[in-house]
Amino acid sequence: MTSAAACKPTDPWLAYSVTMDQVTPETPGVATYDLIFTDNEVAARYTFLPGQFNMLYLPGVGEIAISISGDPTNGDRLPHTIRVAGNVTRMLAGLAEGASLGLRGPFGSSWPLAGNTGKDVILIAGGIGLAPLRPVIYALLANRHLYGQLTLLYGSRTPEGLLYPGEYDNWRTRGLDVQTTVDRTTDGWNGNVGVVTSLLERMALPRSEETVLFTCGPEVMMWYTVQSARECGIPDENLYVSLERNMNCAVGLCGHCQFGPEFLCKDGPIFGYDRVASILKVDDL
Amino acid sequence: MEKVTEFPEFLPASELQSLLDVLMNAGYQTVGPTVDQGAIVYDEIDSVDKLPRGWTDRQEAGKYRLEQRDDDAYFGYVVGPHSWKQFLFPPLATVATAERHDTGWHMRTPDDDPPRYAFLGVRACEIAAMRVQDRVFMGGSYIDPIYKKRRDSAFIVAVNCTQAASTCFCSSMNSGPRCESGFDLALTEIADGFIMEVGSDAGGEILKKLPTTSSTRERLHQAESARQQALDQITKTLDTEGLRDLLLDNLDHPQWDDLATRCLSCTNCTMVCPTCFCSTVTEVSDLTGDHVERRRQWDSCFNIDFSYMNGGVVRNGVRSRYRQWLTHKLASWEDQFGSSGCVGCGRCITWCPVEIDLTQEVAVIRRSTTNTNPPNTNTGAAQ
Amino acid sequence: MAAQNQTALQLIRQTGFLNDLSDEELAKIADISEIQQQDAGTVLFQEGTVCVSLFIVVTGSVALDMHVPRRGQIRILTVGAGEILGWSALWGSQRMTAMGTILDTSTLVTIPGQRLQELCDADREIGYRVMQRMAVALSRRLLAARLQLLDLFSETQPA
């Protein structure tokens, strides 16, 4: 859960120079941008933990907080899966391979893998929320023998919105049970229809006390996911959510990302449910 | 900075200019109080003629007026709309630059060459506020180089208050009115001059160059009486007993709805507050688009889009924005930085156009919450 | 018959749906239940037909489609292990609001609605527990429907 700012620069405002190496269209309005550091020394020093994010910088346009969605053992190439939602992301989507931009990071807390070896792990993602969880999948599968049952429950609006479908079979082969569901169907979909919490409720949990659950998606989805998980007997201290707020400086100095007493840029974005349960219920906090 | 150890010296009123001169000769940019637009503000001054000699302030919720005194005291007032944060945490600052070259964007830390400030007239509550901001800007994993550079080089000439405004409640926050530490020199003004206390080696060095004499017992007694007067004049209190839990347990209290009918979300309180630190960094580009600056400027949690995210505003109403400000200042701050964010200076009360007084708002919540353990009750019985 | 009822009892237990009931009480329900194995593609019930049976899904999944003029069959939900279908069989002759088609090969517990109704009337304790579990299942279904309705994953554009 601690942030691994392994290559913290002395100036928290200064961005590294990166190049856009590859752009992979994912779903309508969503693409993955692989970024590479121009400075090899920075590339060598940079590491991140699953769940952490970078501030991507387009000079003249602005910065945007994006979770790193790649393999944490590969610090050279940093994929970021981004949905167009505003000015910066719209400009980003217009950049071509080879484009130059800035990057500050990594920031934030991470999904707690180290302390949960031996447990069954359930990942519940909604929409673009699979992007910050993909590094967890890579880390879990790279150390498969250290964990019990591994399950991914993933919901999207439509089948076209499901991220990384080309990887599901590979994940299944390596020991991750992947189940998907959609809110509404299109022709040719023969999978689940309905909310992702229903998939959780259908699961037999052989040892709920030894199960940890990580969830990332819209706040309402995460809330009901957590409540279902609690009803299934997963202890509060085994539940983790990833929250979002306006992010401006990402270094705890500007005040924008506060959620109650928490700074999402340094205390979060990943929180144990027990830590934030009381403030999650408060409207407009 | 060490606690006061030296035996206090006396500087005649007529020699106050020497303090400014010695500081300027030592390379400091002297900043002090001065009258502007009907208020006492902080500005660069090089002469004691600029000081608000013979002026005092009358402050109440929503009201600030200057009045002539019947003496010619240099520091016979308390605090105005300015605080020292504008010098340590500038309202506008360039935090980074980016230049487009053929090889791509080059990001740089801008040259930062601020003056070494000497602040004349820093009150105890203001020292406390600087300490609060020190924890914000320098106490975490990421240190703001802009604040640090200015704070490390600043010379503090504190002034012990000899009176209090009706809006002052520093004693409730343990931040005054007496300057105990955190200064290089501290002055207490008496009829014919100033009792000087040394708070650091740097302060001692400056004092050596001033035409001071040993204080007489009589003068020391006058200084003590003057300082006591400030304490005696404080009428406003904030009950801080269990305040953090009181506010965080009452996030749905109806008083927030009541505040929403009064608060204009005008941001005055956050602008005058010496500890508020919210800011926003935006892009400023020249016409070619090849030279970009990242500019940080003061912002406020009361601004409507301060919490904007993904197509909507999280705190979409005065109710949630006022609640954010007050619960952050008096409650969450303790979780974040280990102390209250409030130093009891009273500025937010004075400068609120609709006369909201946070000490009263807290009192309303405290009175109307069901609390089986009233504060300050010692039943003596085992719980 | 006894052997099959034993299996029915075990399977109903497996679904977790009526776990509040004792073995003795559950046996009474098992006595009136049938176990069905259905292959993918089988139509379990048509939209608009009278609902005569309550179904509890043991394994597999059932897709629910509603017909909308000019839009055709719209899949609104898939129902899986531990969930119920056809609850209105229990309290009257209401009609199915969707067509149910087996999606993955399924094992279902089928309980004739009228006989279950009679059992609940005769044994109020059982009746109360059955209605309680129905209420819980329906409230879950309602919440799930609301979450679908909220369209939480829809794209949001800035103002």
Side-chain angles (χ1 to χ4, degrees):
Chain A
M1 285 287 284
T2 54
S3 71
C7 53
K8 219 178 359 167
T10 47
D11 182 357
W13 301 109
L14 192 60
Y16 302 117
S17 171
V18 292
T19 315
M20 192 169 281
D21 186 67
Q22 186 176 302
V23 178
T24 310
E26 301 279 1
T27 62
V30 180
T32 297
Y33 308 87
D34 291 1
L35 302 178
I36 297 189
F37 293 104
T38 355
D39 184 334
N40 289 331
E41 274 181 35
V42 173
R45 281 194 334 257
Y46 184 96
T47 63
F48 73 94
L49 294 174
Q52 290 194 302
F53 67 95
N54 287 320
M55 292 301 281
L56 302 188
Y57 177 42
L58 265 66
V61 189
E63 280 189 329
I64 187 111
I66 303 287
S67 297
I68 309 162
S69 55
D71 189 336
T73 61
N74 183 353
D76 293 351
R77 166 183 297 275
L78 301 176
H80 299 76
T81 301
I82 307 176
R83 183 183 69 195
V84 173
N87 285 345
V88 181
T89 46
R90 195 174 298 128
M91 288 294 288
L92 237 165
L95 295 180
E97 289 166 15
S100 165
L101 40 154
L103 182 151
R104 291 191 300 129
F107 298 117
S109 56
S110 59
W111 301 105
L113 290 173
N116 286 302
T117 50
K119 302 225 171 79
D120 293 344
V121 182
I122 303 176
L123 308 178
I124 303 201
I128 195 122
L130 184 56
L133 281 171
R134 190 168 67 163
V136 176
I137 296 174
Y138 292 143
L140 289 172
L141 294 181
N143 295 289
R144 183 66 188 87
H145 60 286
L146 290 180
Y147 301 95
Q149 276 186 20
L150 299 180
T151 312
L152 169 66
L153 305 178
Y154 178 36
S156 168
R157 187 173 195 263
T158 62
E160 291 73 44
L162 292 167
L163 282 179
Y164 322 129
E167 297 193 63
Y168 300 161
D169 283 340
N170 174 268
W171 293 345
R172 287 180 179 121
T173 314
R174 294 165 66 196
L176 175 70
D177 175 20
V178 180
Q179 298 178 38
T180 56
T181 185
V182 295
D183 278 353
R184 55 200 64 199
T185 58
T186 48
D187 289 341
W189 175 255
N190 281 318
N192 293 309
V193 177
V195 291
V196 74
T197 46
S198 302
L199 297 183
L200 176 62
E201 284 158 10
R202 287 173 211 162
M203 277 181 72
L205 297 180
R207 38 178 206 150
S208 56
E209 308 261 318
E210 297 298 311
T211 302
V212 294
L213 187 145
F214 302 161
T215 180
C216 183
E219 221 168 281
V220 174
M221 183 212 96
M222 287 194 291
W223 174 262
Y224 285 107
T225 294
V226 158
Q227 301 318 311
S228 292
R230 298 172 80 215
E231 275 169 33
C232 294
I234 302 177
D236 284 1
E237 58 270 20
N238 288 16
L239 302 167
Y240 295 89
V241 296
S242 180
L243 303 179
E244 254 194 286
R245 281 294 183 273
N246 182 305
M247 196 71 72
N248 192 252
C249 75
V251 290
L253 296 175
C254 74
H256 280 258
C257 70
Q258 290 176 86
F259 172 57
E262 316 287 354
F263 284 95
L264 257 63
C265 64
K266 45 180 190 163
D267 304 313
I270 288 147
F271 290 98
Y273 171 72
D274 44 4
R275 179 166 173 171
V276 293
S278 59
I279 48 178
L280 270 176
K281 287 185 299 213
V282 180
D283 287 341
D284 310 332
L285 196 65
Chain B
M1 293 181 177
E2 303 139 23
K3 284 188 85 81
V4 175
T5 51
E6 311 284 333
F7 198 76
E9 305 257 309
F10 171 72
L11 181 72
S14 55
E15 298 289 353
L16 187 59
Q17 182 64 38
S18 66
L19 173 59
L20 286 178
D21 293 337
V22 165
L23 287 168
M24 286 190 283
N25 283 338
Y28 288 103
Q29 169 62 62
T30 44
V31 183
T34 193
V35 175
D36 183 33
Q37 300 173 64
I40 295 173
V41 302
Y42 296 138
D43 203 354
E44 294 176 0
I45 58 168
D46 53 9
S47 160
V48 297
D49 294 339
K50 295 272 175 52
L51 292 171
R53 195 172 194 188
W55 286 101
T56 190
D57 50 9
R58 290 259 174 268
Q59 301 193 38
E60 302 164 19
K63 192 162 178 177
Y64 181 100
R65 294 288 186 275
L66 291 187
E67 279 180 12
Q68 293 271 17
R69 297 174 63 88
D70 53 16
D71 61 23
D72 55 3
Y74 276 106
F75 299 104
Y77 43 86
V78 292
V79 296
H82 284 188
S83 67
W84 305 100
K85 86 174 179 182
Q86 67 180 311
F87 301 101
L88 303 175
F89 163 46
L92 196 58
T94 299
V95 296
T97 62
E99 298 272 323
R100 197 202 316 258
H101 296 187
D102 292 335
T103 47
W105 285 101
H106 288 211
M107 274 65 74
R108 270 188 60 244
T109 304
D111 296 330
D112 184 24
D113 206 12
R116 293 166 63 223
Y117 289 115
F119 296 149
L120 171 64
V122 181
R123 306 310 173 105
C125 62
E126 299 182 311
I127 293 175
M130 284 186 215
R131 285 186 161 138
V132 169
Q133 286 212 326
D134 289 348
R135 282 190 279 274
V136 174
F137 288 110
M138 304 193 300
S141 298
Y142 300 98
I143 294 173
D144 176 37
I146 296 171
Y147 182 91
K148 181 170 167 57
K149 199 162 199 181
R150 288 154 179 73
R151 180 69 165 118
D152 284 350
S153 61
F155 186 97
I156 310 289
V157 181
V159 161
N160 281 303
C161 292
T162 54
Q163 61 193 71
S166 73
T167 47
C168 292
F169 60 102
C170 58
S171 47
S172 295
M173 310 310 293
N174 292 321
S175 62
R178 178 81 158 94
C179 297
E180 307 276 2
S181 63
F183 53 83
D184 296 293
L185 289 171
L187 278 57
T188 306
E189 186 165 20
I190 54 177
D192 57 349
F194 306 93
I195 300 300
M196 315 278 291
E197 291 167 292
V198 173
S200 72
D201 291 343
E205 290 302 311
I206 296 291
L207 186 66
K208 276 184 202 159
K209 303 182 178 143
L210 300 180
T212 55
T213 59
S214 294
S215 308
T216 60
R217 193 173 302 167
E218 172 59 26
R219 287 207 175 97
L220 290 177
H221 183 70
Q222 285 173 14
E224 185 53 43
S225 297
R227 290 190 292 265
Q228 185 62 38
Q229 181 175 267
L231 186 58
D232 293 342
Q233 286 184 358
I234 294 174
T235 52
K236 190 173 289 298
T237 58
L238 175 66
D239 183 357
T240 57
E241 176 79 30
L243 184 54
R244 180 218 175 259
D245 289 348
L246 175 72
L247 291 181
L248 294 184
D249 287 344
N250 282 288
L251 295 174
D252 286 315
H253 195 281
Q255 190 61 12
W256 306 119
D257 299 299
D258 187 85
L259 277 156
T261 65
R262 290 178 279 140
C263 171
L264 304 177
S265 209
C266 75
T267 84
N268 264 16
C269 51
T270 58
M271 296 292 109
V272 298
C273 174
T275 64
C276 272
F277 62 88
C278 281
S279 66
T280 294
V281 179
T282 53
E283 298 296 289
V284 178
S285 168
D286 73 344
L287 287 177
T288 68
D290 295 337
H291 309 278
V292 176
E293 286 188 15
R294 306 221 74 213
R295 292 230 189 115
R296 176 186 73 183
Q297 70 181 60
W298 286 6
D299 203 333
S300 169
C301 57
F302 282 101
N303 277 329
I304 287 175
D305 53 4
F306 187 75
S307 62
Y308 175 84
M309 176 182 71
N310 289 349
V313 167
V314 174
R315 297 185 201 117
N316 192 16
V318 179
R319 173 184 182 270
S320 56
R321 293 200 293 276
Y322 188 92
R323 178 182 64 188
Q324 165 63 21
W325 181 70
L326 197 64
T327 57
H328 184 207
K329 190 65 59 184
L330 298 181
S332 305
W333 208 289
E334 288 190 22
D335 295 49
Q336 296 170 345
F337 303 108
S339 74
S340 176
C342 176
V343 296
C345 71
R347 285 181 177 89
C348 57
I349 303 170
T350 297
W351 295 96
C352 175
V354 294
E355 302 172 22
I356 293 172
D357 178 340
L358 52 47
T359 64
Q360 288 179 5
E361 302 304 323
V362 166
V364 167
I365 293 175
R366 199 184 277 284
R367 271 198 305 273
S368 62
T369 195
T370 51
N371 188 349
T372 55
N373 294 318
N376 301 321
T377 300
N378 182 4
T379 63
Q383 294 296 324
Chain C
M1 191 66 174
Q4 201 222 12
N5 290 345
Q6 185 61 25
T7 313
L9 178 64
Q10 283 171 340
L11 290 177
I12 296 174
R13 273 267 178 255
Q14 188 181 321
T15 68
F17 180 62
L18 290 165
N19 272 358
D20 310 40
L21 297 181
S22 66
D23 277 346
E24 199 188 304
E25 289 165 329
L26 207 55
K28 291 186 187 173
I29 295 192
D31 275 348
I32 59 172
S33 306
E34 241 183 51
I35 306 301
Q36 288 183 14
Q37 301 270 14
Q38 299 283 9
D39 291 331
T42 309
V43 175
L44 206 55
F45 46 81
Q46 291 280 8
E47 182 177 348
T49 56
V50 172
C51 177
V52 294
S53 300
L54 175 73
F55 299 97
I56 312 174
V57 179
V58 185
T59 61
S61 64
V62 181
L64 298 177
D65 299 325
M66 291 176 75
H67 180 262
V68 178
R70 295 182 303 283
R71 282 173 62 188
Q73 295 288 354
I74 311 287
R75 183 148 300 171
I76 53 152
L77 189 65
T78 56
V79 164
E83 296 179 273
I84 58 171
L85 292 161
W87 51 75
S88 53
L90 192 57
W91 44 70
S93 56
Q94 290 180 33
R95 298 180 177 271
M96 299 303 265
T97 54
M99 175 174 80
T101 312
I102 304 292
L103 201 54
D104 300 323
T105 301
S106 304
T107 303
L108 307 166
V109 175
T110 312
I111 311 174
Q114 182 157 2
R115 295 193 68 187
L116 182 57
Q117 213 176 330
E118 287 161 6
L119 176 57
C120 291
D121 283 339
D123 183 338
R124 287 303 167 101
E125 184 61 36
I126 290 179
Y128 177 73
R129 296 264 169 250
V130 167
M131 290 303 168
Q132 217 180 20
R133 299 303 285 162
M134 289 291 183
V136 169
L138 287 179
S139 74
R140 276 218 180 120
R141 189 70 60 84
L142 181 60
L143 175 61
R146 283 174 166 167
L147 291 177
Q148 271 175 285
L149 192 62
L150 281 178
D151 205 11
L152 295 170
F153 305 133
S154 64
E155 310 287 285
T156 50
Q157 293 301 318

